[in-house]
Amino acid sequence: TLFRSTQVGLITTQNTAGVRNIMAAEWTYQVSYNPGLLLVCFGKNKTSLEYISEHAEFGISTVATDQAWVASVAGSAHGREMDKVSILTELGVHFRAHENGVWTVEGAAAEFVVKAVEITPAGDHTMVVAE
C-alpha cells in the first residue's frame, strides 16, 4: 500500500506513571541522516513535552493523508484536559506497542521510535531533537 503523508507528526508519549498522551505537531522535521535525527517543536507547557522530560523515549507517527481527522482530534485539546488516546481508540484508531514501552499510530505513513537527545528552549517553543 502506498501512503501519502502530510508534514504533521503524531507525538505519542507517556510519563513515568504510564499515563499516555498524543498530540499533533506541525513542526516535525528530519534534521540528520547520520545519525538519524528528527526535530519536533513544542509549545510551552505541553503535556507531551512534560512527559518527554520524564521519559525520554517517545513515538512519532507521520500522518497519512487519510488520517487528517486523527491529527485534528490529537491537536484539539490539552492532554491534561482530555484523554485523547481513549477517544481515538473508541473512534477506531489502533496503536502499536513497541518493546521499550513506546507506542505509535498504526496506519501512519511512517512510524519512529525515538529518544530525546537534546531539549532546547527557542522563543515561545521548545525544540526536541530525537534519535
Side-chain angles (χ1 to χ4, degrees), residues 79-101:
R80 288 186 264 285
E81 299 168 1
M82 180 187 303
D83 184 351
K84 298 176 282 184
V85 176
S86 293
I87 291 169
L88 287 168
T89 300
E90 288 178 26
L91 292 171
V93 175
H94 298 283
F95 298 94
R96 182 184 329 276
H98 300 272
E99 289 180 24
N100 57 358

Side-chain angles (χ1 to χ4, degrees), residues 44-110:
K44 300 291 183 188
N45 302 315
K46 292 293 184 184
T47 303
S48 293
L49 182 59
E50 176 186 319
Y51 289 4
I52 290 168
S53 296
E54 291 180 24
H55 182 65
E57 296 178 323
F58 64 102
I60 301 174
S61 303
T62 303
V63 175
T65 52
D66 65 346
Q67 292 178 316
W69 70 273
V70 178
S72 183
V73 172
S76 66
H78 200 288
R80 288 186 264 285
E81 299 168 1
M82 180 187 303
D83 184 351
K84 298 176 282 184
V85 176
S86 293
I87 291 169
L88 287 168
T89 300
E90 288 178 26
L91 292 171
V93 175
H94 298 283
F95 298 94
R96 182 184 329 276
H98 300 272
E99 289 180 24
N100 57 358
V102 173
W103 48 287
T104 54
V105 179
E106 287 187 6

